[in-house]
Amino acid sequence: MVRPFVLGCIGALARVGSGDFISTDYREYNDGALGHRPHQEFHSSSEYAPILQVNIWDPDAISDVGSHIFLRHDGNDSSPLSSPLILDSHDLSAVYMNRSFKNVFGTRVQENLGKKYLTFWGGEKGDGIGDGYGLAYDETYRLAYKISAQNIQVHSDLHEFAFTGNGTALVTGVDKIRARRSDLQEGWETPERFEVLNAVFQETDLETNDVIFDWRALDHINPMDSFEPRGSGWDAYHLNSIQKTQAGNYLISIRHMHAIYLINGKTGEIIWTLGGPHNDFIELPPAAGVDELAQPVLTMGWQHHARFVPGTDETQMTFFDNHVKETSHGECDSDCSRGLHIAINDTASPPTVRLLQEFLHPSRLQAQSQGSVQPLSPVPGNLGNVFIGWGRCPTFTEHTSSGDTVLDVQFSPWHSAEIPDALDNYRAYKMDWTATPWWDPVLAPRMNSQGELVVYVSWNGATEITTWVVRGAARDLPGKKGRIIAVSPRTGFETKMVLGSTEWQYLWAEAVDWKGNVIGSTEVVDLATTELSVATDMYESEAVFPPLETEETRPAAGVSKLVVALLSTGLGVFVLAFIAAVVFWWHRCTDYRSLEAADFDLETESEHEYSDVDAEGSDDGVEGGDPQSTRDEDSRALLPKAG
């Protein structure tokens, strides 16, 4: 505990600023004053992150479950490529971006055989249909799996890439075919010949990509029941979610049928249908406490993301009911898009469904496409908080089980005639993720407008950084055992420290975790040969997010209350002297695997000048490793970009 405490003491003596820029001006943001796709850039990375607009933030009611938030972030004119996006759920700072894909869908964490992976779909898309791969990366961001549908004209569709946890994955596919009435089920009143996009899902082996189960909608569902008008490339089905059940069956959502189906995992036959023209369920009165104006479950339409609720023996379900096929904000009344929590009894005759709760966005949204609903910590009898992605509407929210909104964040202005190019997001998740990238952190030295030396540090994808330490040396010493010249808590994806001036020729930075262990180091920068450009921070604010209670009671960021108390008393002097002695002994007795005793020079007089840290966290930053000489396309996609 000595090293973390010493770091805390040094950090307390440094100036610490705000983290990533967060907007709280609803009107300015949604009028497009910050841009149609507002973003913030960095000095230590060529990546960029969205500027978020926080409308509701209730820290006492927000669930502790889920260390990070997972989205996709589409590009802009400067870089049109799309990126999986990971945000820190505690302060909304960006953690990971990788703008290397034409399109990204379904970013989240999944487990296979007890190991966690960052997964998403990446590839080409058009008219809501994809041609790409399901990608899974380990905790160092190395590619582990690349999965595709088989025996169709394209690769995997974008709508689902789901691990079963047992060595297999579920993927969707779309097969464009010319159908003949004579090849279809008897009695279907279809044209003699017609073009249709057949919806496909497969369960595949993650190691071999061999197909274990293959299901095709045209074998079981009459396309003429579709709510989607016929035309060239008729998307009659539009399958958008799959979940394998405990019994080995498959729960699927088919958007253009307005229906959710349970599919027999052996025969492929439909066990039951919820919603749509061939609904099997009768609806019971809503549960107590449901708003009396709530629309019945069976008015559902254009839905997404059907899932059984864990721990309910598959008697409860959540899904996103788009309800309409248009996008608006602040206009709908009874026909808003919503998250739904329902109970089903498929052993009754006939089966029954009951509305347990609906979750509405406080801005009364209609989302014509996409969307997700994720219970964060359900237990029997209590759904717990629910995390919702609003699809076409660029926002994510968190709600209590009773429907109250405790978190509401936008990552783009609302879609409107004035802002037709606003962002959207397929699904949003809040999940735990721990990662240490295979590439190194990055230190970018700059000069500010006052002529002071400033360093910006970042490590794209690293989740465990709590503190940055900048070191200096008169020469490029082997082992990098230089002197500490600045310390700052992590203030965002990119942390800024103003050094003022230094006599050291060589600088580097170390990323430190909460235990005080060094988990990564940047390359050494030679100030004598480095051209220092003048840095301008476009979004620099004195505001702190998350907001603190009062200025008087707020401890310095990254510093415990104990440290603050000690430093405010005479006891602090004794403690610092004691720590210096202990650290000296530690340095003599340990190898260099973490911050060492001699690293902390607590003398007030020195032949070198040590400057305070001005950690006005600009925004997130990116990884900085050297590219591998040989790699496949997907491994290259995970390479850090130079600052």
Side-chain angles (χ1 to χ4, degrees), residues 596-642:
E596 302 176 353
D599 295 330
F600 303 103
D601 184 359
L602 302 179
E603 297 176 352
T604 57
E605 295 182 0
S606 173
E607 59 180 344
H608 301 288
E609 179 180 352
Y610 295 89
S611 299
D612 290 342
V613 176
D614 181 9
E616 289 185 321
S618 295
D619 309 315
D620 11 343
V622 181
E623 73 275 335
D626 291 329
Q628 296 176 331
S629 57
T630 59
R631 54 190 180 269
D632 66 22
E633 179 179 356
D634 297 288
S635 294
R636 178 204 57 75
L638 267 291
L639 284 169
K641 296 181 175 65

Side-chain angles (χ1 to χ4, degrees), residues 20-23 29 34 36-42 47-53 69 71-76 83-87 92-97 99 394 396 409-413 423-424 493 539 618-620:
D20 289 10
F21 178 75
I22 301 288
S23 171
Y29 189 87
L34 302 182
H36 290 192
R37 296 184 173 188
H39 66 279
Q40 46 197 347
E41 299 178 353
F42 311 106
E47 295 282 6
Y48 58 87
I51 294 176
L52 305 177
Q53 164 66 33
I69 293 168
L71 310 165
R72 85 156 182 263
H73 187 227
D74 288 338
N76 57 32
S83 172
L85 174 65
I86 303 177
L87 304 174
L92 299 181
S93 64
V95 172
Y96 175 69
M97 295 158 292
R99 208 162 299 282
F396 54 86
V409 177
Q410 292 177 242
F411 49 90
S412 168
L423 293 170
D424 57 15
F493 187 81
Y539 297 105
S618 295
D619 309 315
D620 11 343

Side-chain angles (χ1 to χ4, degrees), residues 537-577:
D537 298 317
M538 182 176 295
Y539 297 105
E540 195 162 30
S541 171
E542 296 300 323
V544 175
F545 189 86
L548 301 172
E549 294 182 1
T550 66
E551 194 68 25
E552 291 76 15
T553 61
R554 182 179 71 216
V559 184
S560 68
K561 294 179 180 178
L562 174 61
V563 171
V564 175
L566 287 174
L567 291 174
S568 63
T569 66
L571 182 59
V573 176
F574 169 78
V575 171
L576 291 177

